[in-house]
């Protein structure tokens, strides 16, 4: 087909662009139909009454999602056909029979904003929106537009699980094969594990779409025009991002699209990029990172429909109110906030219910001295150690606190014995099968006597928590917290370690394990102290009779 005579926006900016096979032609908007529509119309003569309008509400829907995100990087100038390529993507989507939803149209206009020289303003586009709102379908359309209409040589799609990237890759091929005009310029697909890609014909530019797993080896040796990162929240360290983000540096018109819903404290890459984008939203800073976030405001109620509409822009179009009601009735609160309200939470699979933990805080209360139990633990890296204390209040509740903490095991070794002597607890507990084993000379003192299975030294009992007792202590702390029976002073250190703990399955139970690079010694110390405070029987005193 001869090249069009009018100059597209890309040509005005010096971009290379091949002839458009779609100009003046379009497939019928009925997805099951392969006929072409009449010029200027969306549907072929066989489907004259079909209505496929993305702005049409679902039947019975009373609410619509918000088109404009709650947080976003503002444009540098009014967005017109001269200042953004987004209008071309919208037209492309309509021509292939997959018109964009209102929020998707808004996004492509802003995300594809141009600089004065015709390059894209944003080299990294960070999109946060709740689940099932159409992130994948939008990214599929943008990727195909870049291959067919924007002369992209290589598009790379990655995900933590390559099967997820493969799903998107397959959807792109399904879209191509459903459109006669796109299929006419489809060349070949290679479907070999570890080397999966498809390619357009040379006349269409020969662009390729390749997929890979998101890891430290991904993308190395490649120069990429468009990098698609699925569910950025799942990147728990910088290894994959460091490898992937550099693949676009040598391409003048490259973009990284990172689309996700909200994460938790372990989503280090997502959290850092979001913070950087929020700090750089001032256009005068010239940051090439764009943030577009559809989310509920912090602190909103779970059933706040204004917040839900803000986080779910497809509400009333492809998502029904009933679907959200169903999730509200079945999801734990933190899961609902992350998946449906697109709000960052401290933890998703934490060992301790943080809502109940925070509700149990009592900063003004004092620690009883009778029946006081101390528990010591060291973190695995030896860079932190904690001595926790707890006492049974007599009504089923336990009050706990952090007595002292140290920045290293070496610092604790120099002071622990003196701290215990000053504290004079009824019992001292520790975990000898863990990193605190090196403290055995202090926590298993010479001269200790064994009486009815209990280890005593100078009127103080020493309790070793091993085997199943470790799981009993950790799970017991979780149970006390959930029942509202663990009272604590809202100590920042203890709160941080509780927040940073998650479950490590052991047999039929579990114990604490740290999340990311954090520490959990305070959580262990509190669990051990509370467990012993509840289970320790009084020490039997010798019955001494005075001879008459």
């Amino acid at each position: 087909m001869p090249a069009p005579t009018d100059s597209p926006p890309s040509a005005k900016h010096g971009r290379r662009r091949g002839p458009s096979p779609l100009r003046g032609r379009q497939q019928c908007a009925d997805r099951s139909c392969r006929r072409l529509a009449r010029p200027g119309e969306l549907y072929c003569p066989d489907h004259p009454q079909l209505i496929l309008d993305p702005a049409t509400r679902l039947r019975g829907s009373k609410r619509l999602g918000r088109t404009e995100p709650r947080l976003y990087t503002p444009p540098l100038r009014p967005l017109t056909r001269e200042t953004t390529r987004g209008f071309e993507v919208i037209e492309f989507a309509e021509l292939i029979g997959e018109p964009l939803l209102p929020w998707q149209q808004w996004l492509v206009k802003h995300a594809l904003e141009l600089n004065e020289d015709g390059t894209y303003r944003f080299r990294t586009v960070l999109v946060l929106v709740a689940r099932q709102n159409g992130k994948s379908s939008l990214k599929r359309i943008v990727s195909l537009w870049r291959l067919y209409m924007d002369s992209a040589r290589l598009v790379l799609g990655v995900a933590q699980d390559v099967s997820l990237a493969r799903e998107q890759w397959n959807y792109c091929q399904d879209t191509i094969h459903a459109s006669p005009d796109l299929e006419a310029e489809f060349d070949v697909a290679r479907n070999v594990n570890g080397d999966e890609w498809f390619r357009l014909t040379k006349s269409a530019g020969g662009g390729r779409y390749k997929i890979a797993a998101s890891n430290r080896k991904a993308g190395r040796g490649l120069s990429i025009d468009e990098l698609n990162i699925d569910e950025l929240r799942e990147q728990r360290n910088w290894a994959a991002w460091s490898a992937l983000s550099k693949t676009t540096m040598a391409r003048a018109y490259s973009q990284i699209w990172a689309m996700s819903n909200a994460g938790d404290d372990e989503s280090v890459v997502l959290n850092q990029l979001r913070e950087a984008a929020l700090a750089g939203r001032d256009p005068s800073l010239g940051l090439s990172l764009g943030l577009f976030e559809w989310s509920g405001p912090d602190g909103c109620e779970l059933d706040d429909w204004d917040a839900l509409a803000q986080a779910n822009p497809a509400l009333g179009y492809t998502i029904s109110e009933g679907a959200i009601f169903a999730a509200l009735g079945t999801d734990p609160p933190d899961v609902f906030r992350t998946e449906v309200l697109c709000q960052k939470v401290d933890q998703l699979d934490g060992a301790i219910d943080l809502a109940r933990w925070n509700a149990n805080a009592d900063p003004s209360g004092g620690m009883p001295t009778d029946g006081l139990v101390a528990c010591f633990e060291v973190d695995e890296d030896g860079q932190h150690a904690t001595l926790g204390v707890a006492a049974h209040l007599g009504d089923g509740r336990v009050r706990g606190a952090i007595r002292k903490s140290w920045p290293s095991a070496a610092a604790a070794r120099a002071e622990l014995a003196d701290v215990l002597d000053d504290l004079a607890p009824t019992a001292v507990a520790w975990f000898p099968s863990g990193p605190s084993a090196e403290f055995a000379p202090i926590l298993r003192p010479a001269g200790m006597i064994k009486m009815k299975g209990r280890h005593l030294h100078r009127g103080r009992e020493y309790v070793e928590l091993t085997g199943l007792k470790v799981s009993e202590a950790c799970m017991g702390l979780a149970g006390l917290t959930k029942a509202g029976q663990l009272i604590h002073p809202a100590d920042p250190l203890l709160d941080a370690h509780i927040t940073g703990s998650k479950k490590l399955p052991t047999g039929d139970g579990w114990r604490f394990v740290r999340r990311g690079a954090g520490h959990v010694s305070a959580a262990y110390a509190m669990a051990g102290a509370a467990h012993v405070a509840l289970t320790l029987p009084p020490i039997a005193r010798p019955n001494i009779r005075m001879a008459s």
Side-chain angles (χ1 to χ4, degrees), residues 13 76-77 83 113-122:
H13 296 290
L76 296 175
R77 46 189 173 155
T83 60
E113 182 181 356
L114 299 174
N115 292 315
E116 292 288 348
D117 62 358
T119 59
Y120 292 116
R121 176 192 173 190
F122 300 118

Side-chain angles (χ1 to χ4, degrees), residues 96-377:
I96 65 173
E98 296 196 23
L100 301 181
L101 296 172
W103 80 270
Q104 296 170 327
Q105 296 182 18
W106 188 99
L107 176 58
V108 294
K109 291 176 185 177
H110 287 73
L112 297 174
E113 182 181 356
L114 299 174
N115 292 315
E116 292 288 348
D117 62 358
T119 59
Y120 292 116
R121 176 192 173 190
F122 300 118
R123 293 188 68 89
T124 301
V125 178
L126 179 59
V127 181
L128 296 177
V129 64
R131 295 280 300 278
Q132 298 298 308
N133 275 271
K135 296 189 296 291
S136 297
S137 63
L138 171 63
K139 200 69 225 45
R140 180 171 74 254
I141 297 302
V142 174
S143 296
L144 290 175
W145 173 81
R146 290 220 60 184
L147 285 170
Y148 277 89
M149 311 299 290
D150 199 33
S151 300
R153 298 299 303 273
L154 181 59
V155 172
L156 178 65
V158 299
Q160 291 297 103
D161 185 344
V162 72
S163 65
L164 299 177
R166 187 179 297 114
E167 285 293 321
Q168 183 77 336
W169 183 72
N170 286 330
Y171 287 150
C172 281
Q173 293 185 74
D174 290 343
T175 300
I176 290 172
H177 297 316
S179 171
D181 294 300
L182 298 184
E183 188 174 39
E185 296 190 336
F186 181 84
D187 185 12
V188 64
R190 180 175 175 84
N191 195 6
V192 177
N193 191 29
D195 186 25
E196 296 171 271
W197 48 265
F198 68 76
R199 184 177 62 209
L200 305 188
T201 61
K202 290 184 178 180
S203 63
R208 288 194 305 152
Y209 187 129
K210 182 178 175 65
I211 61 172
S214 181
N215 55 43
R216 64 185 182 86
K217 298 180 180 179
R220 292 190 181 275
L222 300 176
S223 290
I224 297 169
D225 292 292
E226 181 178 272
L227 171 63
N228 298 323
I229 302 177
D230 186 43
E231 294 301 338
L232 185 67
R233 55 173 280 180
E234 299 301 330
Q235 293 193 14
R236 307 304 196 189
N237 57 57
W238 289 92
W241 176 266
S242 298
L244 288 165
S245 61
K246 309 307 180 290
T247 62
T248 63
M249 294 180 65
R251 306 296 290 172
Y253 298 94
S254 64
Q255 280 193 315
I256 299 173
W257 282 69
M259 306 185 80
S260 180
N261 63 311
D264 58 12
D265 281 344
E266 284 193 285
S267 305
V268 293
V269 179
L270 170 60
N271 295 339
Q272 174 63 28
L273 291 180
R274 181 178 182 274
E275 290 174 6
L278 288 173
R281 282 192 295 169
D282 184 348
S284 64
L285 298 177
L287 190 67
S288 63
L289 168 61
L291 170 68
F292 307 97
E293 178 178 319
W294 283 263
S295 63
D298 294 339
C300 69
E301 297 294 331
L302 295 179
D303 59 354
D304 183 338
W305 278 100
D306 285 337
L308 289 165
Q310 185 65 76
N312 294 271
L315 175 63
Y317 301 108
T318 60
I319 295 179
S320 68
E321 296 171 30
I324 291 181
F325 270 122
L328 182 60
T330 57
D331 287 351
D334 283 346
V335 172
F336 187 84
R337 287 195 180 279
T338 301
E339 307 285 7
V340 184
L341 281 167
C342 197
Q343 294 175 330
K344 177 182 174 293
V345 297
D346 293 329
Q347 56 177 194
L348 285 176
D349 58 350
I352 303 296
D353 185 331
L354 286 184
R356 294 300 303 164
W357 175 264
N358 294 329
N360 295 343
D362 180 20
S364 62
M367 176 63 66
T369 56
D370 292 340
L372 189 66
V373 175
C375 183
F376 178 75
E377 175 64 332

